[in-house]
Amino acid sequence: MSKIRVGMIGYKFMGKAHSNGYRALPMFFPKVVRPEMAVICGRDAVALEQARAQYGWEQAETDWRKLIARDDVDLVDINAPSDAHKEIAIAAAEAGKHIFCEKPLALNLADSIEMLNAAEKAGVKHMVGFNYRFAPAIQLAKKLVTEGRLGEIYHFRGFFLQDWIVDPSFPLVWRLQKEIAGSGAHGDLGAHVIDMARFLVGEIKEVIGMSETFVKERPLEASSSELNTGLSKKADKDAPRGAVTVDDATLFLARFANGALGSIEATRFAPGHRCTNSFEINGSKGSIKFDFERVNELEVFFTDDAADVQGFRRVHATEGAHAYSEAWWPAGHSIGYEHTFTHEFHEFMLAIEEDRQPVPNFVDGVECQAVLEAVDKSIEERRWVSISELR
């Protein structure tokens, strides 16, 4: 197969990121199957046409069911709001289409399991959008852990901090409505940290958490057809107000199956933190630290370094020895957020070519959802909750 014809549902923040990822892939990774940007889909015909022309899609549909029914679509990319994921993914699987779905996979664990079962029954390839895994510095972190160079892992502490809704006049966008988003900072930001913890350290065994909604009501969003990111909305002056039904911040402690301890925090109320997706891992032989705002860097410490030079060293993950780096620029020439999506789609196209499931896939989406729900249950019941309780 020389090309995969993609139909994408959604066209704003993630729609732009995905479009850029597809367009860059054949230029920098010419040996993998080429994604062909066949059809883009959204409900607002005016904004959709603007996105189609701007992003470079061939055609447009305003009904996702028509997109899935088309013979010229091999892969369905779902980056619509979370409440739409399940129905679209199951329909795509039943139509025999490969599926890429943004995280969190679904509104709840039961729905995510249904999606996984449908994809497995249909025998299609399926992938979930944990793009941060695909930064070269994260791939280096994985390599150091897997090769045992950090020794026995004792601690994972991670946090994802943002500040885009600190202003109480920021409108009630869909990300702040539980029936659409499923959860707030917990599922939007925390899901990425949970996946990072699972990817680097292993499965989480039990959790205990707490959460808070600091601003209980917000003005209703002004209607707009602009192709903005959804993180820069405005409300009309004196607009009516609605209830915020998700968490603004969630924190929890975790025990991993391998005995490591973890702490994970997600908040949209950390002024000065635009996108601080960060973690530290401590092991018996060393430690690593990462912050996505310095995406090309991994800080590394080894206990067996000589005492007179011992300390954290900054590794700039742009050398040929680092994952994906040879495809881009000379060493020291940085890459950014958008490149993680290109790497993500590289994995998907390669998996299709090799007839295997890409990683991370819907199994990872289900496991992440189980942790999210275990934390919610812990908060509600004020106790430690084992992930196995949700099975």
Side-chain angles (χ1 to χ4, degrees), residues 240-255:
R241 305 180 72 83
V244 176
T245 52
V246 299
D247 60 291
D248 287 331
T250 295
L251 300 80
F252 68 94
L253 303 178
R255 289 187 183 274

Side-chain angles (χ1 to χ4, degrees), residues 359-372:
V359 178
N361 53 52
F362 283 14
V363 172
D364 297 283
V366 167
E367 293 299 331
C368 180
Q369 196 70 50
V371 176
L372 289 170

